Amino acid sequence: MSELTVSNIAKSFAKQLVLDDITFTINDGEFVSLLGPSGSGKSTLFHLIGGMYRPDRGAFFLDGKEITGKRGVISYMPQSPSLFPWRNVLSNVILGAEIHRKVDKDKAREMLKKAGLANYENAYPHELSGGMRQRVAFVRALLSPQDFICLDEPFSALDEFTRLDMQTWLLDIWEKNRKSVLFITHSIEEALYLSDRIIVLSSNPAKIKREFDLPFQRPREQSLLLSKDFFEWKRKIYQELEQLKVNS
Amino acid sequence: MNTNKMKRNRIIANHGSSFVVILCILLFWQASTQIFTIPTWLLPAPTVILTEAVAGWPNYQHHLISTTKLALLGLFIGVSVGLLVAIVLHLLPKVKRAVYPLLILSQNIPIIVLAPLLVIWFGFGVMPKVIVITLVCFFPIVVATLDGLRQTNPELMHYMRMIGASKQQIFLKLEFLHALPAIFSGLKISGTYSVMGAVISEWLGANQGIGVYMTLAQSSFRTDRVFVAIVYIMILCMILFVIIQTLEKTWLKGREKGRMEHE
């Protein structure tokens, strides 16, 4: 069980309002994307959830308990893989669990196998490709003991082909063990392909513009990307984002 | 057998050119002493030095052992103190701001100048000698460790904070390990300094050690023995360096490339 409620969050830096009255809820086992232009304060929201700093107003609740300003209650996958160069793949993926003293190496090996990384257990990060490193980082987030995962534009640095591979891979892994996910992205396609729900943010300051419930069935196939429905939705969201530009 | 041969070939390939240069210098030296008939007390030929090194072994062997022990003891204490000071300063940034400039200032005082004071305060025993070596060794370690700790990769730091790692966990699992290569760089410098420190401290007054042997040789114009001492100081430094480098290679196995990529 894990359900995150973000309630009336506001935050400014140097008198510049970055987040303005952000409110939404992510239900148990749900995959929600935050979609917005770069620099719209999406990462700031993550850092607030992660307890790096406190919001000026508002609060966060996880399963009804307030977690505002608390560290270590969510699992996290950053933009860069952030793997430790002196740890091999296996000891990298257990790091999140190690911090909370809940290491289970067998479970880690099993997860690596499921993730297609079984042969890389003893490899060091510098021996892996960019996509592989992201996989390791995601497995690390999955193996962390928290049930809620925040993903911060994890695929933005990858090339188009690798990114599509990674998205399909992520869907496959995630659909098999559904933790609640909050996913930050600036790619409409990525958000559509992966999520149950999309929250569109405006920028300067970030405000919730609209929420979309997506009707696509799971498990999802890559063919979805070429379906008529998908294009229809893409147009809808694209127009929403265009409107944002006009208004600002 | 085969791997041994390969290893040897690699060593020759890596260091061959240095050997050739050393050989040329020695040949040139030997030739000049003979052609210009330079007296032995002024500049002994390499062969004379070698002869003395072999023949005099029983005379200076105990000096060598004494200096080695002293250097190792001083190095151990200097490195321990240096690491401790660096870690404390890193964990207490306010103290670091106050103390770090003083640390640098303290290095402006030549050890040679301090030495007589140490003798006045602590006599001619092991104590003042160890203090001299410690003073020489600890600075490179402190600077290298502090630099290494300060340069911790910010992305990894951010990740550790986001997932709720405690200050202690961040230090043990990230900062310290991240600083290890830097610490080893400092250790290499300290290792070579420790031998120098030991010899200098022996000049001040001791009953054995390479420093003593050197002073005796100098006052009786046995220049060949002075050179023997110099050669042994070089060999000692080199052995220490190689030991530290080997430790570094085994400890940091598999990460060298990864580190570079992150920086």
Side-chain angles (χ1 to χ4, degrees), chain B residues 12 29 43 47 57 78 95 143-144 200 205 208 220 223-224 236 259:
Chain B
I12 291 172
W29 179 353
L43 182 69
T47 44
W57 172 254
V95 180
V143 173
I200 290 177
Q208 54 180 355
S220 55
T223 316
D224 51 342
L236 259 183
R259 209 177 105 77

Side-chain angles (χ1 to χ4, degrees), chain B residues 29 32-34 36-46 48-49 217-218 220-228 230:
Chain B
W29 179 353
S32 340
T33 51
Q34 273 167 11
F36 305 113
T37 53
I38 301 172
T40 309
W41 62 265
L42 194 61
L43 182 69
V48 176
I49 298 169
Q218 182 210 1
S220 55
F221 283 93
R222 288 299 301 266
T223 316
D224 51 342
R225 288 191 180 164
V226 175
F227 272 103
V228 170
I230 292 173

Side-chain angles (χ1 to χ4, degrees), chain A residues 46-47 50 52 71-72 74 76 78 80 82-87 95-96 98-101 124 126 133 140 144 146, chain B residues 155-156 158-166 168-170 173-175 177-178 253-259 261-262:
Chain A
F46 262 23
H47 298 160
M52 295 287 279
R71 285 191 189 170
I74 51 147
Y76 174 62
S80 72
S82 302
L83 302 176
F84 285 42
W86 54 86
R87 285 171 170 249
L95 180 65
E98 198 179 303
I99 294 298
H100 299 280
R101 302 199 169 79
Y124 286 90
H126 70 88
R133 278 184 224 157
R140 178 175 65 183
S144 296
Q146 305 89 340
Chain B
E155 283 170 5
L156 301 183
H158 176 76
Y159 174 76
M160 286 297 261
R161 291 219 179 103
M162 275 297 275
I163 62 167
S166 67
Q168 190 194 357
Q169 283 172 324
I170 289 179
K173 290 185 196 293
L174 174 58
E175 289 176 306
L177 294 174
H178 201 279
K253 213 176 184 180
R255 78 145 105 166
E256 263 160 81
K257 261 178 154 177
R259 209 177 105 77
E261 212 166 298
H262 265 282

Side-chain angles (χ1 to χ4, degrees), chain A residues 216 223-235:
Chain A
F216 309 127
S223 55
L224 172 69
L225 288 169
L226 298 171
S227 69
K228 216 173 155 201
D229 259 8
F230 193 83
F231 280 118
E232 213 44 57
W233 273 98
K234 196 171 162 183
R235 180 174 305 145

Side-chain angles (χ1 to χ4, degrees), chain B residues 194-209:
Chain B
S194 71
V195 181
M196 182 188 78
V199 173
I200 290 177
S201 73
E202 283 162 357
W203 282 346
L204 305 172
N207 40 33
Q208 54 180 355

Side-chain angles (χ1 to χ4, degrees), chain B residues 175-186:
Chain B
E175 289 176 306
F176 185 69
L177 294 174
H178 201 279
L180 264 185
I183 294 175
F184 269 109
S185 303

Side-chain angles (χ1 to χ4, degrees), chain B residues 94-263:
Chain B
K94 276 184 191 154
V95 180
K96 181 180 163 188
R97 239 169 287 146
V99 173
Y100 197 59
L102 294 181
L103 264 181
I104 293 170
L105 205 65
S106 77
Q107 290 304 302
N108 294 338
I109 311 168
I111 295 296
I112 293 271
V113 179
L114 268 187
L117 271 181
L118 292 173
V119 172
I120 294 173
W121 291 336
F122 302 104
F124 289 96
V126 183
M127 183 70 152
K129 298 186 181 62
V130 170
I131 292 177
V132 166
I133 305 170
T134 305
L135 283 175
V136 179
C137 291
F138 116 116
F139 189 65
I141 286 286
V142 173
V143 173
T145 309
L146 277 176
D147 270 354
L149 289 172
R150 205 180 32 136
Q151 283 164 8
T152 304
N153 185 307
E155 283 170 5
L156 301 183
M157 194 65 154
H158 176 76
Y159 174 76
M160 286 297 261
R161 291 219 179 103
M162 275 297 275
I163 62 167
S166 67
K167 235 186 156 182
Q168 190 194 357
Q169 283 172 324
I170 289 179
F171 180 76
L172 290 177
K173 290 185 196 293
L174 174 58
E175 289 176 306
F176 185 69
L177 294 174
H178 201 279
L180 264 185
I183 294 175
F184 269 109
S185 303
L187 201 55
K188 282 183 204 159
I189 298 174
S190 291
T192 41
Y193 278 14
S194 71
V195 181
M196 182 188 78
V199 173
I200 290 177
S201 73
E202 283 162 357
W203 282 346
L204 305 172
N207 40 33
Q208 54 180 355
I210 298 179
V212 177
Y213 175 75
M214 246 178 143
T215 325
L216 289 176
Q218 182 210 1
S219 52
S220 55
F221 283 93
R222 288 299 301 266
T223 316
D224 51 342
R225 288 191 180 164
V226 175
F227 272 103
V228 170
I230 292 173
V231 168
Y232 272 110
I233 292 170
M234 281 163 63
I235 291 175
L236 259 183
C237 284
M238 221 154 72
I239 290 175
L240 272 176
F241 189 86
V242 170
I243 290 175
I244 295 166
Q245 202 173 34
T246 316
L247 275 178
E248 182 185 18
K249 273 194 184 145
T250 40
W251 273 31
L252 307 187
K253 213 176 184 180
R255 78 145 105 166
E256 263 160 81
K257 261 178 154 177
R259 209 177 105 77
M260 273 157 61
E261 212 166 298
H262 265 282
E263 278 170 2

Side-chain angles (χ1 to χ4, degrees), chain A residues 61-182:
Chain A
F61 300 92
L62 190 66
D63 298 333
K65 261 188 276 173
E66 178 159 3
I67 56 156
T68 322
K70 258 195 192 167
R71 285 191 189 170
V73 285
I74 51 147
S75 167
Y76 174 62
M77 177 179 177
Q79 231 165 51
S80 72
S82 302
L83 302 176
F84 285 42
W86 54 86
R87 285 171 170 249
N88 63 21
V89 168
L90 182 64
S91 32
N92 256 304
V93 296
I94 58 173
L95 180 65
E98 198 179 303
I99 294 298
H100 299 280
R101 302 199 169 79
K102 284 177 185 157
V103 178
D104 185 345
K105 279 203 176 172
D106 293 325
K107 193 177 152 199
R109 285 206 183 86
E110 201 182 310
M111 190 69 91
L112 283 174
K113 206 186 261 173
K114 274 193 213 157
L117 290 163
N119 299 326
Y120 295 93
E121 227 175 73
N122 297 314
Y124 286 90
H126 70 88
E127 297 165 322
L128 305 176
S129 66
M132 285 291 205
R133 278 184 224 157
Q134 287 295 8
R135 286 183 196 212
V136 175
F138 183 63
V139 172
R140 178 175 65 183
L142 276 180
L143 285 170
S144 296
Q146 305 89 340
D147 290 320
F148 194 92
I149 307 185
C150 287
L151 306 173
D152 188 356
E153 297 190 13
F155 307 140
S156 59
L158 301 174
D159 62 85
E160 191 76 22
F161 302 102
T162 318
R163 194 181 311 144
L164 185 57
D165 269 355
M166 288 296 297
Q167 288 162 353
T168 308
W169 173 86
L170 182 117
L171 267 184
D172 183 51
I173 296 277
W174 179 76
E175 275 162 4
K176 278 176 197 154
N177 61 101
R178 296 176 73 135
K179 289 189 170 188
S180 315
V181 171
L182 179 58

